[in-house]
Coordinates of all heavy atoms in Angstrom, one line a residue:
M77 N 0.8 -1.2 0.0 CA 0.0 0.0 0.0 C 0.9 1.2 0.0 O 0.5 2.2 -0.7 CB -0.9 0.0 1.2 CG -1.9 1.1 1.3 SD -3.0 1.1 -0.1 CE -4.0 2.4 0.3
E78 N 1.9 1.3 0.8 CA 2.8 2.4 0.8 C 3.5 2.7 -0.5 O 3.7 3.8 -0.9 CB 3.9 2.2 1.9 CG 3.4 2.3 3.3 CD 4.5 2.2 4.3 OE1 5.7 2.4 4.0 OE2 4.2 1.9 5.5
K79 N 3.8 1.6 -1.3 CA 4.4 1.7 -2.6 C 3.4 2.5 -3.5 O 3.9 3.4 -4.3 CB 4.7 0.4 -3.2 CG 5.3 0.4 -4.5 CD 6.6 1.0 -4.6 CE 7.2 0.8 -6.0 NZ 8.1 1.8 -6.4
V80 N 2.1 2.2 -3.5 CA 1.2 2.9 -4.3 C 1.1 4.3 -3.9 O 1.1 5.2 -4.8 CB -0.2 2.2 -4.2 CG1 -1.2 2.9 -4.9 CG2 -0.1 0.7 -4.6
I81 N 1.0 4.7 -2.7 CA 1.0 6.0 -2.2 C 2.3 6.8 -2.6 O 2.2 7.9 -3.1 CB 0.7 6.1 -0.7 CG1 -0.6 5.6 -0.3 CG2 0.9 7.5 -0.2 CD1 -0.8 5.4 1.1
Y82 N 3.5 6.1 -2.5 CA 4.7 6.7 -2.9 C 4.7 7.0 -4.4 O 5.0 8.1 -4.8 CB 5.8 5.8 -2.6 CG 7.2 6.3 -2.9 CD1 7.9 7.2 -1.9 CD2 7.8 6.1 -4.1 CE1 9.1 7.7 -2.2 CE2 9.0 6.6 -4.4 CZ 9.7 7.4 -3.4 OH 10.9 7.9 -3.7
D83 N 4.2 6.1 -5.2 CA 4.1 6.3 -6.7 C 3.1 7.5 -7.1 O 3.5 8.3 -7.9 CB 3.8 5.1 -7.4 CG 4.8 4.0 -7.3 OD1 6.0 4.3 -7.0 OD2 4.5 2.8 -7.6
I84 N 2.0 7.5 -6.4 CA 1.1 8.6 -6.6 C 1.7 9.9 -6.3 O 1.6 10.9 -7.0 CB -0.2 8.4 -5.9 CG1 -1.0 7.2 -6.5 CG2 -1.1 9.6 -5.9 CD1 -2.2 6.7 -5.7
L85 N 2.3 10.0 -5.1 CA 3.0 11.2 -4.7 C 4.1 11.7 -5.6 O 4.3 12.8 -5.9 CB 3.5 11.2 -3.3 CG 2.4 11.2 -2.2 CD1 3.1 11.0 -0.8 CD2 1.7 12.5 -2.2
L86 N 4.9 10.7 -6.1 CA 5.9 11.0 -7.1 C 5.4 11.6 -8.4 O 6.0 12.5 -8.9 CB 6.7 9.7 -7.4 CG 8.1 9.9 -8.0 CD1 9.0 10.8 -7.2 CD2 8.7 8.6 -8.3
V87 N 4.3 11.0 -8.9 CA 3.7 11.6 -10.1 C 3.1 12.9 -9.8 O 3.3 13.9 -10.7 CB 2.6 10.6 -10.6 CG1 1.8 11.3 -11.7 CG2 3.2 9.3 -11.1
A88 N 2.5 13.1 -8.6 CA 2.0 14.4 -8.3 C 3.1 15.5 -8.2 O 2.9 16.6 -8.7 CB 1.3 14.4 -7.0
M89 N 4.3 15.1 -7.7 CA 5.4 16.0 -7.6 C 5.9 16.4 -9.0 O 6.2 17.6 -9.2 CB 6.5 15.4 -6.8 CG 7.6 16.3 -6.5 SD 8.7 15.7 -5.2 CE 9.4 17.2 -4.6
L90 N 5.9 15.5 -9.9 CA 6.3 15.8 -11.3 C 5.3 16.8 -11.9 O 5.7 17.7 -12.6 CB 6.5 14.5 -12.1 CG 7.6 13.6 -11.7 CD1 7.5 12.3 -12.5 CD2 8.9 14.3 -11.9
V91 N 4.1 16.6 -11.7 CA 3.0 17.5 -12.3 C 3.1 18.8 -11.7 O 3.1 19.8 -12.4 CB 1.6 16.8 -12.1 CG1 0.5 17.9 -12.4 CG2 1.4 15.6 -12.9
V92 N 3.3 18.9 -10.3 CA 3.4 20.2 -9.7 C 4.7 20.9 -10.1 O 4.7 22.1 -10.3 CB 3.3 20.0 -8.2 CG1 3.7 21.3 -7.4 CG2 2.0 19.5 -7.7
S93 N 5.7 20.1 -10.4 CA 7.0 20.8 -10.8 C 6.8 21.4 -12.2 O 7.2 22.5 -12.5 CB 8.1 19.7 -10.9 OG 8.4 19.2 -9.7
A94 N 6.1 20.7 -13.1 CA 5.8 21.3 -14.4 C 4.9 22.6 -14.3 O 5.2 23.6 -15.0 CB 5.0 20.3 -15.3
F95 N 3.9 22.6 -13.3 CA 3.1 23.7 -13.1 C 3.9 24.9 -12.6 O 3.8 26.1 -13.0 CB 2.0 23.5 -12.1 CG 0.8 22.8 -12.8 CD1 0.1 21.8 -12.1 CD2 0.3 23.2 -14.0 CE1 -0.9 21.2 -12.8 CE2 -0.8 22.6 -14.6 CZ -1.4 21.6 -13.9
I96 N 4.9 24.6 -11.7 CA 5.8 25.7 -11.2 C 6.6 26.3 -12.3 O 6.8 27.5 -12.4 CB 6.7 25.1 -10.1 CG1 5.9 24.8 -8.9 CG2 7.8 26.1 -9.7 CD1 6.6 24.1 -7.8
I97 N 7.1 25.4 -13.2 CA 8.0 26.0 -14.3 C 7.1 26.9 -15.2 O 7.6 27.9 -15.6 CB 8.6 24.8 -15.1 CG1 9.6 24.1 -14.2 CG2 9.2 25.2 -16.4 CD1 10.1 22.8 -14.8
V98 N 5.9 26.4 -15.5 CA 5.0 27.3 -16.4 C 4.6 28.6 -15.7 O 4.7 29.6 -16.3 CB 3.8 26.4 -16.8 CG1 2.7 27.3 -17.4 CG2 4.1 25.2 -17.7
A99 N 4.3 28.5 -14.4 CA 4.0 29.7 -13.7 C 5.1 30.7 -13.6 O 4.9 31.9 -13.7 CB 3.5 29.3 -12.3
I100 N 6.3 30.2 -13.5 CA 7.5 31.1 -13.4 C 7.7 31.8 -14.7 O 7.9 33.0 -14.8 CB 8.7 30.4 -12.9 CG1 8.6 30.0 -11.4 CG2 10.0 31.2 -13.2 CD1 9.7 29.2 -10.9
F101 N 7.6 31.0 -15.8 CA 7.8 31.6 -17.1 C 6.6 32.5 -17.5 O 6.8 33.4 -18.3 CB 7.8 30.5 -18.2 CG 9.2 29.9 -18.3 CD1 9.4 28.5 -18.2 CD2 10.3 30.7 -18.5 CE1 10.7 28.0 -18.3 CE2 11.6 30.2 -18.5 CZ 11.7 28.8 -18.4
M102 N 5.4 32.4 -16.9 CA 4.3 33.3 -17.3 C 4.3 34.6 -16.5 O 3.6 35.5 -16.8 CB 3.0 32.5 -17.0 CG 2.7 31.5 -18.1 SD 1.1 30.7 -17.8 CE 0.0 32.1 -18.1
Q103 N 5.2 34.7 -15.6 CA 5.2 35.9 -14.7 C 5.8 37.1 -15.6 O 6.7 36.9 -16.4 CB 6.0 35.7 -13.4 CG 5.2 34.9 -12.4 CD 5.9 34.7 -11.1 OE1 6.9 35.4 -10.8 NE2 5.5 33.8 -10.3
P104 N 5.3 38.3 -15.3 CA 5.7 39.5 -16.1 C 7.3 39.7 -15.8 O 7.8 39.5 -14.7 CB 4.9 40.6 -15.5 CG 3.8 40.0 -14.9 CD 4.2 38.6 -14.5
S105 N 7.9 40.2 -16.8 CA 9.3 40.5 -16.7 C 9.6 41.8 -16.0 O 8.8 42.7 -16.0 CB 9.9 40.6 -18.2 OG 11.2 41.0 -18.1
K106 N 10.7 41.8 -15.2 CA 11.0 43.1 -14.4 C 12.5 43.3 -14.8 O 13.3 43.4 -13.9 CB 10.9 42.8 -12.9 CG 9.4 42.5 -12.6 CD 9.4 42.4 -11.0 CE 8.0 42.1 -10.7 NZ 7.8 41.8 -9.3
Q107 N 12.7 43.6 -16.0 CA 14.1 43.9 -16.5 C 14.6 45.3 -16.2 O 15.8 45.5 -16.2 CB 14.2 43.6 -18.0 CG 14.0 42.2 -18.4 CD 14.0 42.0 -19.9 OE1 13.9 43.0 -20.6 NE2 14.2 40.7 -20.3
D108 N 13.8 46.2 -15.9 CA 14.2 47.6 -15.6 C 15.1 47.6 -14.4 O 16.1 48.4 -14.4 CB 13.0 48.4 -15.4 CG 12.1 48.6 -16.6 OD1 12.6 48.3 -17.6 OD2 10.9 49.0 -16.4
G109 N 14.9 46.9 -13.4 CA 15.7 46.9 -12.1 C 17.1 46.5 -12.4 O 18.0 47.1 -11.9
A110 N 17.3 45.5 -13.2 CA 18.7 45.0 -13.5 C 19.4 46.0 -14.3 O 20.6 46.2 -14.1 CB 18.6 43.6 -14.2
A111 N 18.7 46.7 -15.3 CA 19.4 47.6 -16.1 C 19.8 48.9 -15.2 O 20.9 49.4 -15.5 CB 18.5 48.1 -17.2
D112 N 19.0 49.3 -14.3 CA 19.2 50.4 -13.4 C 20.5 50.1 -12.5 O 21.2 51.0 -12.1 CB 18.0 50.8 -12.6 CG 17.0 51.5 -13.4 OD1 17.3 52.0 -14.6 OD2 15.8 51.6 -13.0
A113 N 20.6 48.8 -12.1 CA 21.7 48.5 -11.2 C 23.0 48.7 -11.9 O 24.0 49.1 -11.2 CB 21.5 47.1 -10.7
F114 N 23.1 48.5 -13.2 CA 24.4 48.6 -13.8 C 24.6 50.0 -14.3 O 25.7 50.5 -14.5 CB 24.5 47.6 -15.0 CG 24.6 46.2 -14.6 CD1 23.6 45.2 -14.8 CD2 25.8 45.8 -13.8 CE1 23.8 44.0 -14.3 CE2 25.9 44.5 -13.4 CZ 24.9 43.5 -13.6
S115 N 23.5 50.7 -14.7 CA 23.7 52.1 -15.3 C 23.7 53.1 -14.2 O 23.9 54.3 -14.5 CB 22.5 52.3 -16.3 OG 21.3 52.4 -15.6
G116 N 23.4 52.8 -13.0 CA 23.4 53.8 -11.9 C 22.1 54.6 -11.9 O 22.1 55.7 -11.3
G117 N 21.1 54.1 -12.5 CA 19.8 54.8 -12.5 C 19.2 54.9 -11.1 O 19.5 54.2 -10.2
T118 N 18.2 55.8 -11.0 CA 17.5 55.9 -9.7 C 16.2 55.1 -9.8 O 15.2 55.7 -9.5 CB 17.2 57.5 -9.5 OG1 16.4 57.9 -10.5 CG2 18.5 58.2 -9.4
G119 N 16.3 53.9 -10.1 CA 15.1 53.1 -10.2 C 14.4 52.9 -8.8 O 14.9 53.4 -7.8
E120 N 13.3 52.2 -8.8 CA 12.6 52.0 -7.6 C 13.2 50.8 -6.8 O 12.5 49.8 -6.5 CB 11.1 51.8 -7.9 CG 10.5 52.9 -8.6 CD 10.2 52.6 -10.0 OE1 10.2 51.4 -10.4 OE2 9.9 53.5 -10.8
L121 N 14.4 50.9 -6.4 CA 15.0 49.8 -5.7 C 14.4 49.5 -4.4 O 14.1 48.3 -4.1 CB 16.5 50.0 -5.5 CG 17.4 49.0 -4.8 CD1 17.3 47.7 -5.7 CD2 18.8 49.5 -4.6
F122 N 14.2 50.5 -3.6 CA 13.6 50.3 -2.3 C 12.1 50.6 -2.2 O 11.5 50.6 -1.1 CB 14.3 51.1 -1.3 CG 15.8 50.7 -1.1 CD1 16.8 51.5 -1.6 CD2 16.1 49.5 -0.6 CE1 18.1 51.1 -1.5 CE2 17.4 49.0 -0.5 CZ 18.4 49.9 -1.0
E123 N 11.5 50.9 -3.3 CA 10.1 51.1 -3.4 C 9.3 49.8 -3.5 O 9.6 49.0 -4.3 CB 9.8 52.0 -4.6 CG 8.3 52.4 -4.7 CD 8.0 53.4 -5.8 OE1 8.8 54.3 -6.0 OE2 7.1 53.1 -6.5
R124 N 8.4 49.6 -2.6 CA 7.6 48.4 -2.6 C 6.3 48.7 -3.4 O 5.5 49.6 -3.1 CB 7.2 48.0 -1.2 CG 6.4 46.8 -1.0 CD 7.4 45.6 -1.1 NE 6.7 44.4 -0.8 CZ 7.0 43.3 -1.3 NH1 8.0 43.2 -2.2 NH2 6.3 42.2 -1.0
R125 N 6.1 47.9 -4.4 CA 5.0 48.1 -5.3 C 4.2 46.8 -5.2 O 4.6 45.7 -5.4 CB 5.4 48.3 -6.8 CG 4.3 48.6 -7.7 CD 4.9 48.8 -9.1 NE 5.5 47.7 -9.7 CZ 4.9 46.8 -10.4 NH1 3.6 46.8 -10.6 NH2 5.6 45.7 -10.9
K126 N 2.8 47.0 -4.9 CA 2.0 45.9 -4.7 C 1.5 45.4 -6.1 O 1.2 46.1 -6.9 CB 0.7 46.3 -3.9 CG -0.2 45.1 -3.6 CD -1.3 45.6 -2.6 CE -2.1 44.4 -2.4 NZ -2.9 44.6 -1.1
A127 N 1.6 44.0 -6.2 CA 1.3 43.3 -7.5 C -0.3 43.4 -7.6 O -1.0 43.4 -6.7 CB 1.7 41.9 -7.5
R128 N -0.7 43.6 -8.8 CA -2.1 43.7 -9.1 C -2.5 42.9 -10.4 O -1.6 42.6 -11.2 CB -2.5 45.2 -9.4 CG -2.2 46.1 -8.3 CD -2.8 47.5 -8.6 NE -2.5 48.5 -7.5 CZ -3.2 48.6 -6.4 NH1 -4.3 47.9 -6.2 NH2 -2.9 49.5 -5.6
G129 N -3.7 42.5 -10.5 CA -4.2 41.8 -11.6 C -3.5 40.5 -11.9 O -3.3 39.6 -10.9
F130 N -3.1 40.3 -13.1 CA -2.5 39.0 -13.5 C -1.2 38.7 -12.8 O -1.0 37.6 -12.4 CB -2.2 39.1 -15.0 CG -1.5 37.9 -15.6 CD1 -2.2 36.7 -15.7 CD2 -0.2 37.8 -15.9 CE1 -1.7 35.5 -16.3 CE2 0.4 36.7 -16.4 CZ -0.3 35.5 -16.5
E131 N -0.4 39.7 -12.5 CA 0.8 39.6 -11.7 C 0.6 39.0 -10.3 O 1.3 38.1 -9.8 CB 1.6 40.9 -11.6 CG 2.9 40.8 -11.0 CD 3.6 42.2 -11.0 OE1 3.1 43.2 -11.5 OE2 4.7 42.2 -10.4
A132 N -0.4 39.5 -9.7 CA -0.9 39.1 -8.3 C -1.3 37.6 -8.3 O -0.9 36.8 -7.5 CB -1.9 39.9 -7.7
V133 N -2.1 37.3 -9.3 CA -2.6 35.9 -9.5 C -1.4 35.0 -9.7 O -1.4 33.9 -9.1 CB -3.7 35.8 -10.6 CG1 -4.0 34.3 -10.9 CG2 -4.9 36.6 -10.3
M134 N -0.5 35.3 -10.6 CA 0.6 34.4 -10.8 C 1.5 34.3 -9.6 O 2.1 33.2 -9.3 CB 1.4 34.9 -12.0 CG 0.7 34.8 -13.4 SD 0.0 33.2 -13.7 CE 1.4 32.1 -13.7
Q135 N 1.7 35.3 -8.9 CA 2.5 35.2 -7.6 C 1.9 34.3 -6.6 O 2.5 33.4 -6.0 CB 2.7 36.7 -7.0 CG 3.7 37.4 -7.7 CD 3.9 38.8 -7.1 OE1 3.2 39.2 -6.1 NE2 4.8 39.6 -7.6
R136 N 0.6 34.5 -6.4 CA -0.1 33.5 -5.5 C -0.1 32.1 -5.9 O 0.1 31.2 -5.2 CB -1.6 34.0 -5.3 CG -1.7 35.3 -4.4 CD -3.1 35.5 -4.1 NE -3.2 36.9 -3.5 CZ -3.9 37.8 -4.0 NH1 -4.7 37.7 -5.1 NH2 -4.0 39.1 -3.5
F137 N -0.4 31.9 -7.3 CA -0.4 30.5 -7.8 C 1.0 29.9 -7.6 O 1.1 28.7 -7.2 CB -0.8 30.6 -9.3 CG -0.8 29.2 -9.9 CD1 -1.8 28.3 -9.6 CD2 0.2 28.9 -10.8 CE1 -1.9 27.1 -10.2 CE2 0.2 27.6 -11.4 CZ -0.9 26.8 -11.1
T138 N 2.1 30.7 -7.9 CA 3.4 30.2 -7.8 C 3.7 29.8 -6.3 O 4.3 28.7 -6.0 CB 4.5 31.1 -8.3 OG1 4.1 31.4 -9.7 CG2 5.8 30.6 -8.3
A139 N 3.3 30.7 -5.4 CA 3.6 30.4 -4.0 C 2.8 29.1 -3.5 O 3.4 28.3 -2.8 CB 3.2 31.6 -3.1
I140 N 1.6 29.0 -3.9 CA 0.8 27.8 -3.6 C 1.5 26.5 -4.1 O 1.5 25.6 -3.4 CB -0.6 28.0 -4.0 CG1 -1.3 29.1 -3.2 CG2 -1.4 26.7 -3.9 CD1 -2.7 29.5 -3.7
M141 N 1.8 26.6 -5.4 CA 2.5 25.4 -6.0 C 3.8 25.1 -5.4 O 4.1 23.8 -5.1 CB 2.7 25.7 -7.5 CG 1.5 25.6 -8.4 SD 0.7 24.1 -8.4 CE -0.8 24.4 -7.5
I142 N 4.6 26.0 -4.9 CA 5.8 25.7 -4.2 C 5.6 25.2 -2.9 O 6.3 24.2 -2.5 CB 6.7 27.0 -4.2 CG1 7.2 27.4 -5.6 CG2 7.9 26.9 -3.2 CD1 7.9 28.7 -5.7
G143 N 4.6 25.6 -2.1 CA 4.2 25.1 -0.9 C 3.7 23.7 -1.0 O 4.1 22.8 -0.3
L144 N 2.9 23.4 -2.0 CA 2.4 22.0 -2.3 C 3.6 21.1 -2.7 O 3.7 19.9 -2.2 CB 1.4 22.1 -3.5 CG 0.7 20.7 -3.8 CD1 -0.1 20.2 -2.6 CD2 -0.2 20.9 -5.0
W145 N 4.6 21.6 -3.4 CA 5.7 20.8 -3.8 C 6.6 20.5 -2.6 O 7.0 19.3 -2.5 CB 6.6 21.7 -4.8 CG 7.7 21.0 -5.4 CD1 7.7 20.2 -6.6 CD2 9.1 21.0 -5.0 NE1 8.9 19.7 -6.8 CE2 9.8 20.1 -5.9 CE3 9.7 21.5 -3.9 CZ2 11.1 19.9 -5.8 CZ3 11.1 21.3 -3.7 CH2 11.8 20.6 -4.6
L146 N 6.7 21.4 -1.7 CA 7.4 21.1 -0.5 C 6.7 20.1 0.4 O 7.4 19.2 1.0 CB 7.6 22.4 0.4 CG 8.7 23.4 -0.2 CD1 8.6 24.7 0.5 CD2 10.1 22.7 -0.2
V147 N 5.4 20.2 0.5 CA 4.7 19.2 1.3 C 4.8 17.8 0.7 O 5.0 16.8 1.5 CB 3.2 19.7 1.5 CG1 2.3 18.5 2.0 CG2 3.1 20.9 2.3
I148 N 4.7 17.7 -0.6 CA 4.8 16.4 -1.2 C 6.2 15.9 -1.1 O 6.4 14.7 -0.8 CB 4.5 16.6 -2.7 CG1 2.9 16.9 -3.0 CG2 4.8 15.3 -3.5 CD1 2.5 17.2 -4.3
G149 N 7.2 16.8 -1.2 CA 8.5 16.4 -0.9 C 8.8 15.8 0.4 O 9.4 14.7 0.6
F150 N 8.3 16.4 1.4 CA 8.5 15.9 2.8 C 7.7 14.6 3.0 O 8.2 13.7 3.7 CB 7.9 16.9 3.8 CG 8.8 18.1 4.1 CD1 8.3 19.4 4.0 CD2 10.2 18.0 4.1 CE1 9.1 20.5 4.2 CE2 11.0 19.1 4.3 CZ 10.5 20.3 4.3
A151 N 6.5 14.5 2.4 CA 5.8 13.2 2.5 C 6.6 12.1 1.8 O 6.6 11.0 2.3 CB 4.4 13.4 1.8
L152 N 7.3 12.4 0.6 CA 8.0 11.4 -0.1 C 9.3 11.0 0.8 O 9.6 9.8 0.8 CB 8.5 11.9 -1.4 CG 7.4 11.9 -2.5 CD1 7.9 12.7 -3.7 CD2 7.0 10.6 -2.9
V153 N 9.9 11.9 1.5 CA 11.0 11.6 2.4 C 10.5 10.7 3.5 O 11.2 9.7 3.8 CB 11.6 12.9 3.0 CG1 12.6 12.6 4.0 CG2 12.3 13.7 1.8
V154 N 9.4 11.0 4.1 CA 8.8 10.2 5.2 C 8.6 8.7 4.7 O 8.9 7.8 5.4 CB 7.6 10.8 5.9 CG1 7.0 9.9 6.8 CG2 8.0 12.1 6.6
L155 N 8.0 8.7 3.5 CA 7.6 7.3 3.0 C 8.9 6.6 2.6 O 8.9 5.3 2.7 CB 6.7 7.5 1.8 CG 5.2 7.8 2.2 CD1 4.4 8.0 0.9 CD2 4.6 6.8 3.1
S156 N 9.9 7.2 2.1 CA 11.1 6.5 1.7 C 11.9 6.0 2.9 O 12.7 5.1 2.7 CB 11.9 7.4 0.8 OG 12.4 8.5 1.5
T157 N 11.7 6.6 4.1 CA 12.5 6.1 5.2 C 11.9 4.9 5.9 O 12.5 4.3 6.7 CB 12.6 7.3 6.3 OG1 11.4 7.7 6.7 CG2 13.4 8.4 5.7
R158 N 10.7 4.5 5.4 CA 10.0 3.3 6.1 C 10.5 2.0 5.4 O 10.9 1.9 4.3 CB 8.5 3.5 6.0 CG 8.1 4.6 6.8 CD 6.6 4.6 6.8 NE 6.1 5.6 7.7 CZ 4.8 5.9 8.0 NH1 3.9 5.1 7.4 NH2 4.5 6.9 8.8

C-alpha cells in the first residue's frame, strides 16, 4: 500500500513541478531593475509596489504550487525512510 501512495505522490510532484515551471515563465518580466543596477539609474530599488491583476494571481499561484511541492517532498521523504 505504501508503494502505491509513494508512486502517486511521485507523479503528483512531477506534475506540480511542471506547473511551477510554467507559472514562473508566465510571470511578467522586471528587467528595468537589473538595467538600473548597472547604469546607476535611480530606479525603484527600495520602493515596494503591490502586485495587481495578472501579476498578483501568478505570484499567489506560484507560492501555492511551491508550498504544495514542499509538502509532497516531505511526504516522499517520510515514506522513503520506512
Side-chain angles (χ1 to χ4, degrees):
M77 182 67 178
E78 288 183 21
K79 176 68 172 154
V80 173
I81 295 172
Y82 184 85
D83 290 341
I84 290 171
L85 286 175
L86 193 59
V87 169
M89 187 165 206
L90 292 173
V91 170
V92 170
S93 298
F95 279 135
I96 290 171
I97 291 169
V98 170
I100 289 173
F101 279 127
M102 287 181 65
Q103 290 186 8
S105 175
K106 295 181 182 176
Q107 294 176 343
D108 296 341
D112 286 343
F114 291 113
S115 66
T118 60
E120 300 110 13
L121 180 62
F122 296 107
E123 182 177 315
R124 183 79 174 148
R125 188 175 63 88
K126 186 171 181 161
R128 299 187 186 275
F130 180 73
E131 185 178 356
V133 170
M134 290 309 299
Q135 283 181 356
R136 285 189 192 121
F137 179 75
T138 305
I140 291 169
M141 288 294 111
I142 290 173
L144 184 61
W145 188 85
L146 287 171
V147 169
I148 292 171
F150 287 133
L152 286 170
V153 167
V154 169
L155 288 175
S156 68
T157 59
R158 292 184 180 186

